[in-house]
Amino acid sequence: MDLDLTQEQQLVRDTVREFARERVAPLAEELDRESRFPYELVADLAELGLMGLPIPEAYGGAGGDTVSYALAIEELTRIDSSVAITVAAHTSLGTMPIYLFGSEEQKQTWLPDLASGRKLAAFGLTEPGAGSDAGNTRTTAELRDGTWVVNGSKMFITNAGTDITWGVTLTARTGENEISNIVVENGTEGYQVSAPMKKLGWRSSDTRELSFHDAVVAEGNLLGRRGEGFRQFLEILDGGRISVAAMGVGLAQGAYDLAYAYANEREQFGKPIKSFQAVQFRLADMATEIEAGRGLVLRAAWLKDQDRPFAREAAMAKLYTGELSNRAANWALQIHGGYGFMDEYPISRLYRDQKILEIGEGTNEVQRMVIAKHLGL
């Protein structure tokens, strides 16, 4: 059993770590305060080849493995979750459906701009009345005279309304008891994107509500076979859980980093608070749980890279790291005391950003349902 990273994986981790510290960290507080999308950082990430890290080079990607991708997402989240989710949602949810289920013509047409980061992609699954119950999709796509006519709405969609957004892959009912995936490009008549939604956290990430009113889409924009949309999006969610689990580890690590630094500089009763056993034990617990969570994430990523079943492990990693990030952010803020409650300290941003990791990409309850199913319960 070899738990060492390859040289290539170490290079990706170290490159993203340096980028996050030097380019993202100085802007993170400002982007959050202004709820401003990080166009300049996305452009830099695209130049580094990180917007299509796991996509083959033949389609404009970097040809990296899932382990490298998970490491990159962890390092970005360690500094700022909004930047990390922009990359993760674009890659795992927006671009991956086209790579996995698209025809060769669709791949050649759409992937080069997406994998290179010149354009962003979104994934339209959640609806106002269908969140955890994703199979309860109400959006419809009716085939009329060789075109799809789409009606319905999608909610909480990431990357759907930026200036560089290409389009969205959405799930729609194409018949009775039939769900398919259809690509709708931005600018399509009848397709409306709401103003940016105001959020507790992830404030510089782009989140929108989408509406479709007789939006006419080419018949060739069907992704994969008609009626296979439900199976397709379940597969997409399995892979996406690895990246969100990596975000859980990254946020926990970032919270630990802030708490550790503060414990070294903050003095009470004439000495640094790191000398008090209560603080030492809390930091020791955080460090231990972070290592455990990282192991779960890398295990799931490695299984995916080996073309072995990984859905159970991805759900376990997502569940554990989501709850871990909650504990770590809470403990880190507690170590900061009253200062942690002030927005001028970055732990307050991590504290706000954390909660969605227990909701998005399947709630904790959904993860337990998935795990229970794999256990035969």
Side-chain angles (χ1 to χ4, degrees), residues 309-340:
F310 67 92
R312 184 187 71 166
E313 286 75 12
M316 288 178 170
K318 201 274 183 186
L319 170 64
Y320 183 80
T321 61
E323 296 187 346
L324 160 64
S325 65
N326 182 303
R327 293 189 293 272
N330 186 57
W331 292 340
L333 195 148
Q334 188 73 18
I335 288 173
H336 279 74
Y339 288 104

Side-chain angles (χ1 to χ4, degrees), residues 192-375:
Q192 297 179 340
V193 180
S194 77
M197 304 181 80
K198 296 181 179 180
K199 308 186 294 293
L200 172 69
W202 287 7
R203 289 181 175 174
S204 62
S205 164
D206 182 75
T207 308
R208 312 277 182 144
E209 180 178 4
L210 314 181
S211 300
F212 305 89
H213 305 279
D214 288 333
V216 178
V217 180
E219 183 176 5
N221 281 26
L222 177 71
L223 206 58
R225 295 180 180 177
R226 178 172 174 168
E228 293 191 352
F230 189 84
R231 178 191 62 81
Q232 290 173 355
F233 79 64
L234 288 181
E235 185 174 339
I236 291 300
L237 291 177
D238 285 339
R241 283 173 184 140
I242 295 175
S243 60
V244 178
M247 290 188 67
V249 175
L251 191 141
Q253 183 67 61
Y256 172 86
D257 294 341
L258 294 173
Y260 185 90
Y262 187 80
N264 273 273
E265 66 185 39
R266 175 66 167 169
E267 290 192 359
Q268 288 287 274
F269 307 104
K271 53 186 176 180
I273 63 173
K274 71 174 183 179
S275 63
F276 298 114
Q277 193 176 69
V279 174
Q280 294 174 354
F281 279 12
R282 190 59 77 201
L283 290 170
D285 286 346
M286 291 170 69
T288 300
E289 292 200 37
I290 290 167
E291 284 299 318
R294 184 176 290 119
L296 283 171
V297 173
L298 295 180
R299 167 71 173 170
W302 179 82
L303 286 171
K304 188 175 187 297
D305 285 334
Q306 303 302 312
D307 292 323
R308 290 166 59 178
F310 67 92
R312 184 187 71 166
E313 286 75 12
M316 288 178 170
K318 201 274 183 186
L319 170 64
Y320 183 80
T321 61
E323 296 187 346
L324 160 64
S325 65
N326 182 303
R327 293 189 293 272
N330 186 57
W331 292 340
L333 195 148
Q334 188 73 18
I335 288 173
H336 279 74
Y339 288 104
F341 202 64
M342 302 295 110
D343 273 342
E344 63 189 272
Y345 280 75
I347 187 58
S348 69
R349 173 168 48 85
L350 269 68
Y351 189 84
R352 287 186 286 104
D353 286 341
Q354 180 282 320
K355 188 57 190 176
I356 190 62
L357 296 177
E358 300 180 86
I359 299 172
E361 197 75 35
T363 64
N364 291 1
E365 292 76 17
V366 166
Q367 304 312 314
R368 288 183 165 92
M369 289 166 56
V370 172
I371 295 165
K373 181 178 179 180
H374 283 282
L375 295 177

Side-chain angles (χ1 to χ4, degrees), residues 89-90 93-95 97 114 120-124 157-161 165-170 186 191 210:
H90 164 73
L93 303 181
T95 305
L114 299 179
L120 285 181
F123 183 57
I157 308 304
T158 303
N159 292 339
T165 297
W166 155 80
V168 59
T169 298
L170 61 86
N186 278 36
Y191 170 32
L210 314 181

Side-chain angles (χ1 to χ4, degrees), residues 27-278:
L27 292 174
E29 190 274 334
E30 176 185 319
L31 291 169
D32 177 78
R33 184 179 67 252
E34 299 177 358
S35 297
R36 176 163 56 87
F37 187 77
Y39 287 105
E40 62 272 49
L41 297 178
V42 171
D44 290 342
L45 287 164
E47 187 174 345
L48 287 172
L50 295 173
M51 297 302 293
L53 183 56
I55 304 298
E57 294 179 7
Y59 298 114
D65 58 11
T66 312
V67 169
S68 297
Y69 173 53
L71 292 168
I73 296 300
E74 177 190 335
E75 292 298 331
L76 288 174
T77 315
R78 190 172 178 174
I79 301 299
D80 184 63
S81 294
S82 291
V83 173
I85 191 56
T86 298
V87 177
H90 164 73
T91 305
S92 295
L93 303 181
T95 305
M96 199 57 70
I98 297 168
Y99 172 63
L100 291 179
F101 310 121
S103 66
E104 187 60 30
E105 181 180 359
Q106 289 172 330
K107 293 177 184 179
Q108 294 290 350
T109 301
W110 293 327
L111 284 181
D113 276 346
L114 299 179
S116 65
R118 290 189 293 269
K119 297 289 185 179
L120 285 181
F123 183 57
L125 175 61
T126 302
E127 296 185 358
S132 296
D133 184 14
N136 194 31
T137 295
R138 288 291 176 259
T139 298
T140 62
E142 182 182 352
L143 193 58
R144 303 179 192 169
D145 301 323
T147 59
W148 295 105
V149 180
V150 182
N151 285 281
S153 61
K154 299 292 180 178
M155 183 64 79
F156 311 134
I157 308 304
T158 303
N159 292 339
T162 75
D163 294 342
I164 57 173
T165 297
W166 155 80
V168 59
T169 298
L170 61 86
T171 56
R173 291 198 173 275
T174 51
E176 188 175 355
N177 298 320
E178 178 183 277
I179 295 177
S180 303
N181 279 330
I182 295 175
V183 171
V184 182
E185 297 184 55
N186 278 36
T188 297
E189 186 176 355
Y191 170 32
Q192 297 179 340
V193 180
S194 77
M197 304 181 80
K198 296 181 179 180
K199 308 186 294 293
L200 172 69
W202 287 7
R203 289 181 175 174
S204 62
S205 164
D206 182 75
T207 308
R208 312 277 182 144
E209 180 178 4
L210 314 181
S211 300
F212 305 89
H213 305 279
D214 288 333
V216 178
V217 180
E219 183 176 5
N221 281 26
L222 177 71
L223 206 58
R225 295 180 180 177
R226 178 172 174 168
E228 293 191 352
F230 189 84
R231 178 191 62 81
Q232 290 173 355
F233 79 64
L234 288 181
E235 185 174 339
I236 291 300
L237 291 177
D238 285 339
R241 283 173 184 140
I242 295 175
S243 60
V244 178
M247 290 188 67
V249 175
L251 191 141
Q253 183 67 61
Y256 172 86
D257 294 341
L258 294 173
Y260 185 90
Y262 187 80
N264 273 273
E265 66 185 39
R266 175 66 167 169
E267 290 192 359
Q268 288 287 274
F269 307 104
K271 53 186 176 180
I273 63 173
K274 71 174 183 179
S275 63
F276 298 114
Q277 193 176 69

